[in-house]
Amino acid sequence: MTAGGIAGLPPFAEWGPIGQSFGAGLVSWSGTALGASLVFFTARVHQGFLDVVLGFAGGVMLAASFWSLLHPAIELSADYGPWRWLPASAGILLGIVFLHVTDQVLPRLQLAAPAKEAKGLSSHWRRTTLLILAIALHNIPEGLALGVVFGAIGDGASPVSLAAAVGLMAGIAFHNLPEGMAVALPLRREGLSPLRSFLYGQLSAAVEPLAAVAGAAAALTARAVLPYAMGFAASAMLYVVVREVIPETQLSGHPVAATLGIMLGFTLMMALSVSLG
């Protein structure tokens, strides 16, 4: 490493919004890979620990949805006067519709549930495929959120600083740690080799760099729709946390510890967003 970043490469601040978004997506992907790499050391983690970590990650996402996306979207809508809440609200509603339709069309699986309990359209897919799809669906809105934030910074329109955007990237990467574990460890316990369990576990986040680039491209294409895009990305993140992450932490007998994890994650991400923003 050099003072400007990796030797031979320009500093991150000079990568441009598309490059920054892709790099941020790779970092968030690496969080999933790091969590999945636990299968090389053990096949089982105490469920209480996993619930706390997953709750902490959900709290991080809740705080990031507001301070890194919704609040900036409202600030960008100052020209709407007393209706400045409208673009973000419209984006939230569009996100709700998108995720609800996705839920109905694609088979979806709670992390601890057998494949026969997959929700959505009926499917004969193997549990491995359903697990990867369930986490991948979580990661698409996260990648979009990263891309929208970095794209807005590149456009010069966003009140979010580059430091705050990097904080969002770090928060999402940490959020991905338990997701990597949640995919890879059950596969390891079901008899897959450590290497295959790891490969399947990290594969669930492979969509993030591509989603981040798509989000950045959308933000750069039309500045007028940026508040709507930020509201959409925040809505998708909120939907995932409320629909999937929080219920998952409450099912295994550790609801108080998981709730404390959520509150701690929310508080930490709030502090980072405000101090860096």
Side-chain angles (χ1 to χ4, degrees):
M1 294 289 289
T2 67
I6 300 174
L9 292 178
F12 185 69
E14 298 179 10
W15 286 15
I18 297 296
Q20 289 173 352
S21 299
F22 186 74
L26 290 177
V27 170
S28 61
W29 183 3
S30 71
T32 304
L34 183 60
S37 69
L38 196 62
V39 296
F40 293 112
F41 307 98
T42 182
R44 189 174 299 276
V45 171
H46 190 275
Q47 186 63 42
F49 171 77
L50 189 59
D51 288 343
V52 170
V53 174
L54 190 60
F56 182 91
V60 167
M61 300 302 292
L62 287 175
S65 297
F66 177 75
W67 272 280
S68 296
L69 290 165
L70 289 177
H71 187 261
I74 293 171
E75 289 190 10
L76 288 173
S77 305
D79 292 344
Y80 285 77
W83 295 89
R84 57 185 177 275
W85 52 267
L86 183 60
S89 299
I92 289 174
L93 295 177
L94 287 173
I96 292 172
V97 171
F98 174 79
L99 266 296
H100 178 69
V101 171
T102 301
D103 269 354
Q104 303 306 310
V105 171
L106 295 175
R108 191 169 41 80
L109 183 68
Q110 293 286 359
L111 298 179
K116 64 182 181 181
E117 295 183 12
K119 302 175 178 64
L121 294 183
S122 59
S123 173
H124 299 291
W125 298 357
R126 294 177 56 193
R127 174 177 167 79
T128 301
T129 305
L130 291 170
L131 271 170
I132 294 171
L133 179 60
I135 303 299
L137 289 176
H138 289 187
N139 290 329
I140 290 174
E142 294 168 13
L144 288 173
L146 284 172
V148 167
V149 169
F150 280 101
I153 293 173
D155 187 57
S158 176
V160 179
S161 67
L162 179 59
V166 171
L168 173 64
M169 175 188 70
I172 291 178
F174 183 87
H175 165 266
N176 285 347
L177 283 169
E179 292 188 346
M181 290 187 286
V183 175
L185 290 174
L187 296 178
R188 179 72 183 96
R189 291 196 298 270
E190 290 180 4
L192 271 71
S193 69
L195 180 59
R196 289 186 65 193
S197 299
F198 167 76
L199 291 175
Y200 284 133
Q202 60 81 36
L203 183 62
S204 62
V207 297
E208 288 208 19
L210 298 179
V213 169
L220 291 168
T221 300
R223 180 173 179 175
V225 303
L226 186 55
Y228 298 89
M230 297 178 85
F232 179 92
S235 174
M237 290 169 63
L238 288 169
Y239 189 97
V240 164
V241 172
V242 175
R243 182 77 172 87
E244 303 286 349
V245 176
I246 291 178
E248 185 69 29
T249 66
Q250 305 295 306
L251 295 177
S252 303
H254 309 94
V256 175
T259 300
L260 292 176
I262 292 170
M263 301 302 293
L264 181 60
F266 184 94
T267 302
L268 178 61
M269 192 62 196
M270 176 187 68
L272 286 174
S273 298
V274 173
S275 61
L276 295 177

